[in-house]
Amino acid sequence: SPKRFGEDPLTPGLKPMNYKTKLCSDFQKEFACARGDACHFAHGEEELRKPGEVKPEDFKTEEEMVNESLDREGAIPAPGPRIFLRREDLFWIELDTSEEVPKQLEGLPMEAVVLSTNCKLIQGKGLPADGILQTMLSDEVKELRFIDDADWKELPAVGAALKKEMEQKEECFTAVICPTRSLWAVGVGMRGKARWIAVKLALALAVALQQEEILEEPPDLSQYPLMVDLVKHAGEAKKMLN
């Protein structure tokens, strides 16, 4: 049977009293941490604990934790070991056709892919968003238009679509428009720098899926295996629109 974190299967593995009681300074500054899951500091407010606090997951094997997350959160399975996303990490929104389309989005599709800064597949992975976009769009990157709408004033229709998909939560978002491809994408999250990374990666996903749909030769993303996984996830999530 799988080995548990502690010697006694009913006892959680011993962790320092200050485990996850403070935020990781590296993660706060760069939204990345070389220690990954082994870091004893919290990667975000949701990981913070009280001194000596024990969490239910401390009693479980890693396999059990993953399987429960898949069942509970409706995650989208992907090839390979222990790679999964929660529904709110990567999804698609569709603007309400009964309402006026924002002027900035006129002539573009009503739907867009959304990537959250909370997505575990991009947190601390150091994916070079600018480099990936350059690989996929070349000189077209010069035409990109970004709209950082933290207070939902410029694109209220996008905010409403996000709220509908995010269980009425209101989060800051940044949209990017690619006029040369007639695409747009959204990054959501409270931290501005991380949100800009997320929106660039979201557009890269939209471009990759468009290339698949029109049978265009896609760029080689083999050096970014996580992007390959994200493209597959985005494709599966898009099917939920229909």
Side-chain angles (χ1 to χ4, degrees), residues 127-129 131-137 201 203-209 211-212 217-232:
L127 282 172
I132 291 172
L133 271 184
Q134 184 69 46
T135 298
M136 304 190 75
L137 294 174
L201 292 175
L203 181 61
L205 298 178
V207 172
L209 290 176
Q211 290 172 325
E212 288 183 4
E217 184 67 27
D220 183 12
L221 294 176
S222 58
Q223 60 179 319
Y224 309 117
L226 283 179
M227 276 302 296
V228 175
D229 286 319
L230 282 170
V231 171
K232 293 176 181 177

Side-chain angles (χ1 to χ4, degrees), residues 14-23 40 42 47-55 58:
L14 296 177
K15 293 182 172 65
M17 286 290 290
N18 62 351
Y19 181 75
K20 301 288 185 182
T21 57
K22 294 182 180 180
L23 291 170
H40 280 207
E47 287 192 4
L48 282 173
R49 300 188 182 197
K50 297 176 182 178
E53 182 179 1
V54 175
K55 294 281 188 178
D58 295 339

Side-chain angles (χ1 to χ4, degrees), residues 1-235:
S1 61
K3 188 176 182 180
R4 308 240 170 198
F5 290 125
E7 293 297 328
D8 184 337
L10 298 179
T11 304
L14 296 177
K15 293 182 172 65
M17 286 290 290
N18 62 351
Y19 181 75
K20 301 288 185 182
T21 57
K22 294 182 180 180
L23 291 170
C24 173
S25 58
D26 291 339
F27 194 81
Q28 284 183 290
K29 291 176 183 176
E30 303 294 335
F31 209 71
C33 175
R35 295 176 292 275
D37 292 338
C39 184
H40 280 207
F41 294 93
H43 291 174
E45 299 282 346
E46 67 277 5
E47 287 192 4
L48 282 173
R49 300 188 182 197
K50 297 176 182 178
E53 182 179 1
V54 175
K55 294 281 188 178
E57 58 262 30
D58 295 339
F59 293 90
K60 302 180 184 296
T61 66
E62 186 176 6
E63 182 180 1
E64 288 170 335
M65 290 165 61
V66 170
N67 289 337
E68 285 188 7
S69 295
L70 286 168
D71 293 338
R72 182 177 63 253
E73 299 172 356
I76 309 166
R82 296 189 299 274
I83 296 178
F84 65 94
L85 292 181
R86 298 173 300 172
R87 170 68 179 78
E88 62 267 30
D89 289 339
L90 175 61
F91 57 95
W92 288 73
I93 56 171
E94 193 166 17
L95 300 183
D96 190 339
T97 55
S98 66
E99 298 189 9
E100 185 178 357
V101 176
K103 184 177 181 180
Q104 303 95 319
L105 301 179
E106 288 180 354
L108 298 175
M110 297 295 283
E111 70 276 357
V113 65
V114 181
L115 184 60
S116 169
T117 59
N118 291 325
C119 177
K120 297 298 184 182
L121 281 185
I122 67 172
Q123 284 186 351
K125 307 302 182 183
L127 282 172
D130 289 320
I132 291 172
L133 271 184
Q134 184 69 46
T135 298
M136 304 190 75
L137 294 174
S138 188
D139 289 342
E140 293 177 68
V141 296
K142 299 176 183 178
E143 306 297 326
L144 299 182
R145 300 201 299 266
F146 292 88
I147 304 172
D148 191 33
D149 199 3
D151 51 12
W152 295 24
K153 289 184 178 179
E154 292 200 53
L155 300 172
V158 175
L162 285 171
K163 191 173 181 178
K164 180 180 177 181
E165 295 294 330
M166 299 178 68
E167 298 181 348
Q168 304 304 306
K169 288 193 300 183
E170 296 186 11
E171 287 203 50
C172 302
F173 71 86
T174 300
V176 60
I177 299 168
C178 181
T180 57
R181 303 268 176 155
S182 295
L183 290 172
W184 61 292
V186 180
V188 297
M190 301 309 292
R191 297 182 181 276
K193 182 177 179 180
R195 192 165 65 248
W196 279 75
I197 293 174
V199 73
K200 291 174 182 178
L201 292 175
L203 181 61
L205 298 178
V207 172
L209 290 176
Q210 184 188 66
Q211 290 172 325
E212 288 183 4
E213 291 171 1
I214 64 177
L215 303 179
E216 181 179 317
E217 184 67 27
D220 183 12
L221 294 176
S222 58
Q223 60 179 319
Y224 309 117
L226 283 179
M227 276 302 296
V228 175
D229 286 319
L230 282 170
V231 171
K232 293 176 181 177
H233 284 301

